[in-house]
Amino acid sequence: MKYVVVDFEWNQSPYGKNTSNKRLPFEIIEIGAVKLDENGREIGQFSKVIKPKVYKKLHHVTKSLTGITEKELSLGSPFPDALEAFLEWCGDGYMFCTWGNLDLMELQRNMKFYHLEDMLEGPIKYYNVQKLFRIFYDNENSTASLEYAVDFFKLRNKAGFHRAVNDAVYTADVFRKMDWKEAEKWYTVDYFRNPKTRKEELKLIYDTYSKYVSKEFVSKEAAMADREVRTSRCFKCGKPAPKRIRWFVGKNKAYYCLAECEEHGYLRGKIRLKKTDEDKIFVVKTLRSIDPDGAGYIADLKEEMRQKRQEKRHREGIHEG
């Protein structure tokens, strides 16, 4: 198994969100990658600047962070050519590694814009090194920056941040510090190219939670009426876990439930409804082990949401009167 540690820099409309291309809100302008062998030794680097097609003027934040100039971009390669060269360089039998969960999603969005989706099969299994760092070393810091991790391991060298190949090198350096056997348990799946049918659905099992990514539905009502979506099953033993609190809408429009496995205790269910570019709906459901305090929080959250609905109906009743 080879590892391709990759980073992308991207640009956006310099004139604000209202002028953004909805099909391509973030345009990749640089690809940087490091290839590692199965022992963590660096066996290659890839770096290529991309000539933009949509946003030819740099956003001030992009210019400030990366130091890339518009002249440098004008001399870059078209995205299709850069992508072809990158994937050829990757070769076969590799696993992507990234810092965070955005890079591969934006790569696929850029590929879709150019109708190049078939060049990379999805959903993509990869290692989110930021997530691994949080699990192994810094459990409370869910958004630790790459610079923070580099300082944590005292890895800093003269290279700056926010150029793609430099960030890929730093991410590879952090990844090398980890127990790769343990990391194998915490792989991530990017579902920008989401399952379309029941057969393609994803059911992922980790040490402390499970994740289910459903097929597409025509509406959120159809999704929430689906038996597979609503079911709660213990990911440790595979047995049905009866619900103590049925699914309800909580904060940020997510759905929650409380289930209990007779052998393994409480489970917190969480459902997020995702919309595709074609206005279809798919579900991302997690079932996570929690303690009695966590179960109490779910009960309190349901009561809080019930009271808010009651207050809203009361206000609307007064307004109508």
Side-chain angles (χ1 to χ4, degrees), residues 141-189:
N141 194 349
S142 62
T143 57
S145 68
L146 178 57
E147 188 170 358
Y148 175 90
V150 167
D151 287 343
F152 181 89
F153 289 118
K154 297 180 173 57
L155 297 170
R156 186 182 294 274
N157 58 37
K158 294 181 181 179
F161 289 88
H162 304 299
R163 287 303 296 257
V165 72
N166 291 352
D167 284 0
V169 168
Y170 280 131
T171 302
D173 288 343
V174 172
F175 186 51
R176 284 193 190 94
K177 291 290 185 178
M178 299 178 177
D179 182 336
W180 287 10
K181 288 295 183 184
E182 189 65 23
E184 287 178 1
K185 303 176 184 177
W186 297 102
Y187 67 88
T188 300
V189 176

Side-chain angles (χ1 to χ4, degrees), residues 187-317:
Y187 67 88
T188 300
V189 176
D190 180 273
Y191 36 81
F192 177 83
R193 295 179 68 178
N194 57 285
K196 307 297 182 184
T197 66
R198 187 72 78 187
K199 185 178 180 180
E200 296 174 348
E201 290 183 333
L202 301 175
K203 295 181 180 180
L204 313 174
I205 306 295
Y206 300 97
D207 280 359
T208 58
Y209 71 99
S210 63
K211 178 177 285 189
Y212 161 73
V213 184
S214 78
K215 69 182 185 72
E216 291 183 345
F217 298 92
V218 295
S219 67
K220 68 176 185 179
E221 291 80 12
M224 291 306 300
D226 184 78
R227 184 175 180 179
E228 186 65 29
V229 168
R230 298 184 66 88
T231 191
S232 52
R233 189 177 297 275
C234 178
F235 60 89
K236 292 183 178 180
C237 63
K239 296 178 181 177
K243 293 182 185 65
R244 303 308 179 200
I245 297 176
R246 296 185 178 277
W247 293 104
F248 66 95
V249 180
K251 297 176 180 178
N252 300 319
K253 298 182 180 179
Y255 288 77
Y256 294 87
C257 80
L258 176 66
E260 186 176 9
C261 172
E262 189 175 274
E263 182 179 354
H264 297 107
Y266 289 117
L267 300 168
R268 185 207 71 178
K270 184 177 182 180
I271 286 176
R272 288 196 177 278
L273 300 173
K274 304 284 188 177
K275 183 178 285 190
T276 71
D277 291 343
E278 292 75 29
D279 288 330
K280 296 289 184 66
I281 299 293
F282 69 98
V283 164
V284 179
K285 176 178 67 176
T286 56
L287 286 164
R288 185 179 299 273
S289 292
I290 57 172
D291 58 19
D293 287 342
Y297 171 79
I298 296 298
D300 292 343
L301 177 62
K302 182 177 183 181
E303 176 61 20
E304 177 187 345
M305 302 310 295
R306 187 193 68 80
Q307 290 182 11
K308 285 184 177 180
R309 289 194 301 273
Q310 190 175 49
E311 290 169 3
K312 182 180 178 181
R313 287 195 295 267
H314 180 67
R315 289 194 302 271
E316 289 173 348

